[in-house]
Amino acid sequence: MTRASRTSLGLAVCAAAVMSVASVARAETPPAFATLPAEVQALYLGVEETIQPSAYDNFGPVKQPWKWCHSESYQGNPWRVSVTHELERLVGLYKEKGWISDFEMSDSNGDTGQQIAQIRAFIDKKCSIITSFAGSSTALNEVIEAAFKAGIPFVTGSGAVTSPYAINVDSNFVKFGYDVAKGVIDGIGGKGNVLRIEGIAGSPLVAQQRVGADKAFAEAPEVKVVRDVNGNWSPNVTKTVTLQVLATTPQPIAGVWTSGSESRIVAEAFKQAGRPIPVVSGSISGDALGFWKDNQDTFRFTGGALMPSWTAQTLFRVGVRVLEGQQPKLNILMIPVPAVNPDELGKWHRECMTKDAVSIFPVAPQDPMPEALMDAYFAKPAHTALFDYAQTPDPCAK
């Protein structure tokens, strides 16, 4: 099957399955959806029924300087830490101009109740905006509404919530889960056992990716998912659960589906257990590229590039635009996920990327969501001041 065919199938994930992820669904897309360019509309294929009108379509500009507050649900892996560092860098550019007065961050460490309490504290502190990596797609809805009623925009990154009072800066993770699974299926020749290692239980991303992966595996009757475990997108947890599976699962495992940045960890766990390294999926990372460089004959990777720098950048840029009163048209602003094909790893590898480079993540040569394309999401668009994708920090810089 060609990559184009796989993409078309991935985009056609059934809407009924997606409905289980979103508690609010619409029979028809909002009229504003029709104003988006065709290439942007294509990012929503298969998940159209989750789209709602924006609650901020009449939101006016907020006077500067802004107090920027960021609610994290988990900082236990290098990817999330890298996101935070880039967000802090971007906020720093605005602080130097006097456009942002303060930046405050909270981390609930996987405790949804604590995240809700921390967000309520942000509301009491009269933050100008709350950006967030939500620990649940539904549990924060009440406090998100409270922020909205207090005049505080709530903007999520990397995992949508179902509240109509949020702006979600997201990607089509149903499609991503499907495409990653298809990559594994193709890589193992359409037959064999697969281990699925998911992220943090309860995360919106996990729910969305599972819908897509389930769809792909259902289309491959000779592929069997022998175990489902949670690696929390954490190297230590992923290694532990992988070794546990290998110790209790004697049958051969031909492929591993995972969406995080732990593909090198998975490969090393198989090697440590004396098992053949399977086809491993995920989001490309510096240590995976380093492991590939040293093991090109045995390490087979398929997946995408969920880059932390770019995730922080899109979250920040949308947040700034909302504060400026640019009025987003929809509740979910979809961002494309660049594919990383098995035969293209050499294009992503840099000399600083060794198998120990767990905190180094590649940067795409071009912005996956250029400012001109992002303009389409807003009724009153204007490019993000001071933002220059070319200034993204070099992953190899000390």
Side-chain angles (χ1 to χ4, degrees):
M1 179 181 291
T2 65
R3 181 162 301 277
S5 298
R6 293 200 303 269
T7 301
S8 297
L9 283 170
L11 288 170
V13 175
C14 70
V18 177
M19 291 276 284
S20 67
V21 177
S23 64
V24 179
R26 298 178 59 85
E28 297 180 357
T29 56
F33 183 76
T35 69
L36 302 179
E39 62 267 38
V40 175
Q41 291 188 29
L43 299 174
Y44 293 84
L45 289 175
V47 294
E48 296 95 338
E49 294 194 23
T50 65
I51 306 170
Q52 303 172 52
S54 169
Y56 298 88
D57 56 355
N58 289 310
F59 190 80
V62 176
K63 185 179 179 180
Q64 295 177 343
W66 303 319
K67 180 178 177 64
W68 197 291
C69 299
H70 183 60
S71 169
E72 250 288 11
S73 57
Y74 187 68
Q75 281 276 280
N77 61 50
W79 192 92
R80 286 286 185 96
V81 173
S82 295
V83 171
T84 299
H85 287 166
E86 178 63 3
L87 184 60
E88 290 175 332
R89 182 188 75 85
L90 295 167
V91 167
L93 298 177
Y94 276 52
K95 289 181 74 172
E96 289 177 2
K97 289 288 188 179
W99 300 344
I100 290 178
S101 59
D102 299 290
F103 176 74
E104 186 171 341
M105 176 181 161
S106 64
D107 175 18
S108 65
N109 195 30
D111 186 331
T112 302
Q114 185 175 357
Q115 186 172 27
I116 292 170
Q118 290 168 341
I119 293 170
R120 290 198 182 279
F122 282 159
I123 295 172
D124 292 340
K125 293 177 180 179
K126 301 186 185 304
C127 296
S128 303
I129 188 171
I130 299 173
T131 51
S132 177
F133 282 74
S136 167
S137 60
T138 58
L140 306 185
N141 286 1
E142 184 177 338
V143 74
I144 292 172
E145 182 177 359
F148 175 81
K149 290 180 177 178
I152 303 171
F154 195 95
V155 184
T156 75
S158 199
V161 296
T162 58
S163 170
Y165 301 104
I167 295 298
N168 298 289
V169 186
D170 207 6
S171 294
N172 190 338
F173 287 107
V174 177
K175 176 186 180 300
F176 181 71
Y178 181 96
D179 286 346
V180 167
K182 289 297 291 183
V184 173
I185 292 166
D186 289 351
I188 64 176
K191 61 175 63 177
N193 295 322
V194 171
L195 164 64
R196 177 160 52 184
I197 305 175
E198 297 185 298
I200 303 166
S203 165
L205 267 68
V206 169
Q208 294 162 22
Q209 291 170 357
R210 174 175 275 265
V211 169
D214 282 348
K215 172 71 172 174
F217 288 129
E219 295 173 351
E222 295 187 77
V223 173
K224 180 181 180 182
V225 179
V226 291
R227 293 287 296 276
D228 276 306
V229 294
N230 289 92
N232 291 358
W233 296 310
S234 165
N236 292 337
V237 178
T238 296
K239 183 174 183 179
T240 297
V241 298
T242 302
L243 289 173
Q244 288 173 345
V245 168
L246 294 177
T248 57
T249 310
Q251 57 263 50
I253 296 176
V256 175
W257 181 102
T258 181
S259 64
S261 304
E262 295 76 43
S263 55
R264 187 266 303 180
I265 299 296
V266 172
E268 288 187 338
F270 272 79
K271 197 172 182 179
Q272 178 179 328
R275 303 276 288 265
I277 298 175
V279 174
V280 185
S281 71
S283 176
I284 197 64
S285 58
D287 63 318
L289 288 165
F291 187 84
W292 163 81
K293 185 72 172 178
D294 295 339
N295 300 272
Q296 296 184 45
D297 294 335
T298 57
F299 183 56
R300 295 170 294 161
F301 175 91
T302 182
L306 298 170
M307 298 162 289
S309 57
W310 153 76
T311 300
Q313 289 165 357
T314 53
L315 179 66
F316 179 77
R317 290 153 62 190
V318 170
V320 167
R321 285 170 177 253
V322 172
L323 287 170
E324 290 179 342
Q326 294 189 29
Q327 299 175 355
K329 300 175 182 178
L330 303 171
N331 70 314
I332 299 178
L333 311 186
M334 288 294 189
I335 309 297
V337 178
V340 180
N341 303 324
D343 58 349
E344 294 179 345
L345 296 183
K347 297 179 180 179
W348 291 83
H349 180 263
R350 300 278 298 279
E351 288 305 314
C352 68
M353 296 176 184
T354 68
K355 66 181 181 62
D356 298 317
V358 295
S359 299
I360 296 176
F361 297 90
V363 173
Q366 296 179 330
D367 187 354
M369 179 56 73
E371 289 281 298
L373 195 58
M374 187 177 283
D375 285 348
Y377 283 116
F378 295 87
K380 300 178 180 179
H383 288 193
T384 311
L386 304 184
F387 178 74
D388 181 0
Y389 185 76
Q391 297 305 311
T392 301
D394 183 344
C396 291
K398 295 182 181 180

